[in-house]
Amino acid sequence: MSGKAAMKKILGVLEKRFGGLRSLTEDRPLDQLILLLLSRGVAEKKAHEALATLREHFVDWNEVRVSPLHEIEAALSPLGQKGMLDKPTRIRALLSLVYSRFNRVDLDFVRDWSDRKSARKRDRLLMAISDISPGLPPILLAALDGLGAAFRNDPEINRVLTRLGLVKTGGTTPAQWRKSVREAFDDGDQLVLLWGLHLLAASYCRKSLPDCVHCPLKTSCPSADAEMEKVRAAREKAKEKARAEARRIAKKMAAEARKKARETAKREAQERKKREAEERKREARAKKEAEAARKKKAAAKKKAAAEKKRVAAAKKKAATAKKKKAAAAKKKKKAAASKKKASAAKKKTSKKKVTKKKVAKKATGKKKTAKKKAAATRKKVAKVTKRKVAKKPSKASRKKTSSESARGTSKTKKKTSSSSAARRKK
Ligand code: SF4
């Protein structure tokens, strides 16, 4: 297959997958960019119809910018479900970006880039809109400056061309390829090719890990197998790396878990030790308390025993006192009895004494009487004697007088002994 035929085949595949515009019909740059977004994956006619319905539904692009996605989606109904893709989101994102960067909802200013300020502004815009879609900047450049400016040396396109075998080291250079494309294809094909190659580079033929499996040019790409193998190897490497990372993380986690377990065990051991110490302390305290309670109980028992003893002693004392009292009472009674007896005896004795005294008095009286009598007798006798003397009494009369006095004395004696016998009898 010649180079041109190969390029034709690639162009057809790219147009089928990514769509694109064959003519840049819109006057205003922002309208052109929106039409480009609408053309992705659909025929150019459908893209134009969708743009027309958007204009009908909304007053201006600012209204589209602030409208909900479902309203934009409703306005894009001519695209059909298959061609809708994420176009409402991308259109609204483009309008928001323009508004936020340039505080307006049009890009008319990019037409004029005569001064450095305007050129910088345009460069900023081209960089920014590549985030919305990588195909927008080259097509906008083509619209503004022509296809010559759009087909410039781009590392993204050069990578795709190299992988497709259209550009080779030591063979066709990117510049030669661009020249051959410019010569072989008309402007429409060139626009579609430019759009398609940029979208392919961004969507499938990425710098690292190209998605050759899903790439629409997989069958005609000589690098597909090698790139797929590279991807496989890279994925395997990534998987191995992920496994190694997982092992490392698992090892780290296991080490952390072991460390944690050690710390937990240490903490638990410390807590156990602490608990045991506290338990011992509690036991010692309980023992001490029990000992104190036992001592207290013993003391109480002792006290109770002492109290009992004291009570018993008191009882005994009381009993002794009672006994003593009883004995004393008895003694007192006895003493009283003895006193009474003594008193009675005394009384008796005194009575006896009185009697004795009386007897003695009586005897003394009698004695006195007798003495008196005797004295009187003696006096009488003396008188008589005197008179006798005077008259000289005879011997017979003196004898009679003495016998009479003797009789008188014996009579008195007899009387005294009879009264004593009578008292003893009593
Ligand atoms: S098959 Fe792979 S290497 Fe070839 S163009 Fe497609 S993505 Fe790029």
Side-chain angles (χ1 to χ4, degrees):
M1 197 183 286
S2 68
K4 193 179 175 184
M7 278 305 297
K8 275 267 180 195
K9 189 183 173 187
I10 288 168
L11 180 64
V13 172
L14 290 177
E15 190 174 13
K16 194 179 174 188
R17 173 62 65 94
F18 300 112
L21 298 174
R22 289 187 166 272
S23 57
L24 301 173
T25 53
E26 298 302 316
D27 290 335
R28 304 185 74 178
L30 186 57
D31 294 15
Q32 191 62 68
L33 290 178
I34 290 170
L35 184 61
L36 266 169
L37 289 175
L38 292 170
S39 72
R40 187 176 179 180
V42 295
E44 193 170 347
K45 194 183 166 189
K46 268 197 172 181
H48 280 285
E49 284 173 12
L51 183 66
T53 52
L54 267 181
R55 281 174 174 152
E56 278 172 24
H57 270 81
F58 300 99
V59 176
D60 54 18
W61 294 127
N62 191 47
E63 195 187 352
V64 178
R65 179 181 71 85
V66 296
S67 294
L69 284 174
H70 67 87
E71 282 187 23
I72 303 170
E73 202 173 317
L76 295 176
S77 56
L79 293 172
Q81 197 61 40
K82 201 177 172 186
M84 188 67 72
L85 302 173
D86 55 352
K87 284 171 189 170
T89 311
R90 281 182 191 260
I91 289 169
R92 208 171 65 169
L94 174 67
L95 294 171
S96 298
L97 183 144
V98 171
Y99 181 77
S100 65
R101 296 250 175 165
F102 307 106
N103 199 27
R104 56 205 292 178
V105 193
D106 71 75
L107 292 174
D108 296 344
F109 65 92
V110 291
R111 288 191 189 122
D112 177 25
W113 54 287
S114 51
D115 56 67
R116 286 181 66 185
K117 194 180 172 186
S118 302
R120 254 202 327 271
K121 236 175 166 182
R122 193 160 81 154
D123 288 344
R124 274 171 53 208
L125 173 70
L126 292 172
M127 280 181 72
I129 59 174
S130 66
D131 291 338
I132 307 296
S133 174
L136 293 179
I139 304 302
L140 183 63
L141 268 176
L144 295 171
D145 303 335
L147 275 167
F151 266 100
R152 50 184 184 177
N153 196 16
D154 190 319
E156 293 287 303
I157 299 298
N158 292 345
R159 184 180 68 245
V160 177
L161 295 174
T162 307
R163 285 175 177 170
L164 285 169
L166 300 172
V167 168
K168 285 178 188 168
T169 311
T172 312
T173 62
Q176 286 169 338
W177 175 82
R178 283 196 296 275
K179 193 181 172 189
S180 65
V181 166
R182 296 286 307 276
E183 288 169 358
F185 296 100
D186 61 15
D187 288 357
D189 286 342
Q190 284 181 52
L191 281 172
V192 172
L193 186 64
L194 202 59
W195 172 255
L197 283 174
H198 274 94
L199 293 189
L200 182 84
S203 308
Y204 299 98
C205 203
R206 294 181 293 265
K207 191 177 178 182
S208 64
L209 302 176
D211 188 8
C212 299
V213 176
H214 301 103
C215 179
L217 296 174
K218 181 173 65 178
T219 51
S220 53
C221 178
S223 310
D225 291 340
E227 290 298 331
M228 279 195 279
E229 186 55 40
K230 269 190 202 172
V231 170
R232 211 169 20 250
R235 283 197 179 137
E236 198 53 47
K237 199 176 172 185
K239 273 183 188 172
E240 184 52 43
K241 199 176 172 185
R243 280 197 289 270
E245 183 64 14
R247 280 198 297 275
R248 190 188 67 76
I249 290 169
K251 208 173 171 183
K252 194 179 172 185
M253 280 172 77
E256 278 176 6
R258 281 198 299 276
K259 193 180 172 188
K260 208 172 175 182
R262 274 200 303 277
E263 283 174 358
T264 308
K266 196 177 172 185
R267 196 169 57 247
E268 280 177 359
Q270 281 175 347
E271 281 173 3
R272 194 170 56 248
K273 224 171 177 181
K274 202 175 169 185
R275 270 202 309 277
E276 282 172 2
E278 278 174 4
E279 188 64 30
R280 279 199 297 276
K281 239 179 187 177
R282 198 163 50 246
E283 276 175 6
R285 198 162 53 239
K287 209 172 174 183
K288 205 174 173 184
E289 280 173 6
E291 182 65 21
R294 193 189 62 72
K295 271 183 181 173
K296 203 174 172 183
K297 203 176 172 183
K301 209 173 173 183
K302 204 172 175 183
K303 201 176 172 184
E307 182 66 22
K308 204 174 172 183
K309 210 171 177 182
R310 193 187 63 74
V311 168
K315 258 184 185 176
K316 200 173 176 182
K317 200 175 174 183
T320 311
K322 202 176 172 183
K323 235 177 188 178
K324 260 183 184 176
K325 203 175 173 183
K330 204 175 175 182
K331 203 173 177 182
K332 203 174 174 184
K333 209 174 172 183
K334 206 173 175 182
S338 3
K339 202 175 175 183
K340 205 175 174 182
K341 205 174 175 181
S343 164
K346 202 175 176 183
K347 216 173 177 181
K348 203 175 174 181
T349 312
S350 65
K351 210 174 177 181
K352 270 182 182 175
K353 267 183 181 175
V354 167
T355 313
K356 215 173 181 179
K357 246 179 186 179
K358 269 182 181 176
V359 170
K361 205 174 175 183
K362 211 174 175 180
T364 312
K366 275 182 179 177
K367 221 173 182 178
K368 270 181 180 179
T369 310
K371 261 181 181 179
K372 262 178 185 180
K373 261 182 182 179
T377 309
R378 266 188 320 268
K379 219 170 178 183
K380 207 175 176 179
V381 167
K383 234 176 197 181
V384 168
T385 315
K386 236 175 183 181
R387 250 181 264 142
K388 277 180 176 177
V389 165
K391 284 179 189 171
K392 209 149 179 181
S394 65
K395 229 176 172 183
S397 66
R398 277 193 310 265
K399 250 181 181 179
K400 197 181 173 185
T401 310
S402 64
S403 64
E404 276 177 354
S405 69
R407 266 195 315 270
T409 308
S410 65
K411 255 183 182 177
T412 311
K413 272 184 183 176
K414 246 182 184 178
K415 212 173 185 178
T416 308
S417 65
S418 67
S419 65
S420 297
R423 261 196 324 267
R424 271 195 302 274
K425 258 182 188 178
K426 263 181 187 178

